[in-house]
């Protein structure tokens, strides 16, 4: 049994370009599906958030239309209820990545608000990347990569190939034109090599110990790849 760290957002909103707050959090399926895969493989999960706050779920991610129908929504809701680790997260500031065999970041718009500028998260990412341990990040989770700066100020993920939520998906979802910034653009500006797939289709990119997924449909295949790396 290995211990896998889930680094999750503590933000319940995303501030848009006009200053309004869009209610959000983490995307349920992107936490539940990998969690179930890791637990089924016999691994332990520990959740960490900035300040140790209970991570808020994006209510939109619980809707039937976000889960292929009511049956899917009910399954995700039940899976979320079974994730007891969500109710007692550790403080991200106190985390030593050396205590874990792998690290995973679910998405949702929440990370765009807090993890994108969180120094403690950035430290965890840099140390995990440099350790060679499996590191999985999905959908909007790669916003956290923006805070992963080396001592010289450059991004630790510059030159890495990644999948992340694309401009096309953000525009199709209806928030692209309201956003202060778009994830695909900001990652590219940091020197990260974003490999965009078809909108909403599974797209997982593996580069060294880094495994990234583009969207909710990518969370299951990402979990499979991460488990392969755990051996």
């Amino acid at each position: 049994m290995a211990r896998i760290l889930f680094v999750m957002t503590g933000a319940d909103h995303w501030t848009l370009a006009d200053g309004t707050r869009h209610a959000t959090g983490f995307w349920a399926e992107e936490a539940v599906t990998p969690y179930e895969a890791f637990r089924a493989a016999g691994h332990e999960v520990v959740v960490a958030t900035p300040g140790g706050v209970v991570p808020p779920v994006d209510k939109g991610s619980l809707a039937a239309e976000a889960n292929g129908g009511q049956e899917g929504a009910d399954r995700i809701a039940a899976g979320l209820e079974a994730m007891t680790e969500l109710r007692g997260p550790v403080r991200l500031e106190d985390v030593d990545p050396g205590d874990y065999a792998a690290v995973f970041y679910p998405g949702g718009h929440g990370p765009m608000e807090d993890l994108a500028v969180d120094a403690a998260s950035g430290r965890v990412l840099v140390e995990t990347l440099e350790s060679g341990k499996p590191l999985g990040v999905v959908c909007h989770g790669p916003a956290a990569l923006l805070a992963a700066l080396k001592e010289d100020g450059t991004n630790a993920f510059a030159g890495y190939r990644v999948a992340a939520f694309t401009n096309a998906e953000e525009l199709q979802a209806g928030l692209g034109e309201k956003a202060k910034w778009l994830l695909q653009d900001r990652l590219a500006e940091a020197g990260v090599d974003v490999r965009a797939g078809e909108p909403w289709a599974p797209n997982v990119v593996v580069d060294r110990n880094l495994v990234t997924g583009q969207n909710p449909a990518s969370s299951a295949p990402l979990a499979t790849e991460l488990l392969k790396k755990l051996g």
Side-chain angles (χ1 to χ4, degrees):
M1 178 194 281
R3 294 176 84 205
I4 300 175
L5 180 71
F6 272 44
V7 179
M8 300 182 66
T9 183
D12 63 2
H13 67 277
W14 179 31
T15 306
L16 301 176
D18 65 359
T20 58
R21 291 184 167 195
H22 171 72
T24 187
F26 70 89
W27 198 258
E29 194 273 344
E30 295 168 14
V32 169
T33 297
Y35 173 84
E36 291 176 344
F38 300 151
R39 292 292 292 158
H43 301 305
E44 176 189 353
V45 169
V46 175
V47 172
T49 60
V53 301
V54 173
V57 64
D58 187 319
K59 300 295 193 296
S61 70
L62 301 175
E65 55 267 28
N67 293 286
Q70 192 57 48
E71 186 178 335
D74 291 344
R75 188 186 69 77
I76 290 296
L80 205 58
E81 187 64 28
M83 282 184 72
T84 54
E85 296 86 352
L86 290 172
R87 299 194 272 281
V90 300
R91 282 169 37 91
L92 183 56
E93 295 82 355
D94 300 334
V95 163
D96 178 359
D99 294 338
Y100 301 92
V103 175
F104 173 68
Y105 278 68
H109 280 106
M112 301 279 281
E113 185 75 21
D114 61 354
L115 298 182
V117 293
D118 190 283
S121 172
R123 172 185 61 80
V124 168
L125 284 166
V126 172
E127 290 181 11
T128 305
L129 189 69
E130 292 177 347
S131 75
K133 292 178 181 178
L135 172 60
V137 196
V138 70
C139 201
H140 286 93
L145 274 50
L146 299 171
L149 303 179
K150 297 192 286 191
E151 288 184 6
D152 63 4
T154 60
N155 193 286
F157 293 86
Y160 275 79
R161 298 184 306 277
V162 307
F165 202 70
T166 63
N167 292 357
E169 287 167 322
E170 202 73 84
L171 288 163
Q172 289 175 23
L175 285 170
E177 294 178 353
K178 301 175 184 177
K180 284 183 183 177
W181 50 275
L182 296 175
L183 179 57
Q184 183 180 348
D185 290 346
R186 191 63 69 84
L187 288 169
E189 289 167 9
V192 180
D193 181 6
V194 181
R195 300 296 179 96
E198 288 297 314
W200 314 110
N203 177 31
V204 174
V205 174
V206 180
D207 189 347
R208 290 157 274 187
N209 58 318
L210 177 65
V211 183
T212 50
Q214 180 172 318
N215 45 36
S218 307
S219 60
L222 185 153
T224 299
E225 290 295 331
L226 211 63
L227 284 170
K228 284 182 195 172
K229 287 190 172 294
L230 272 172

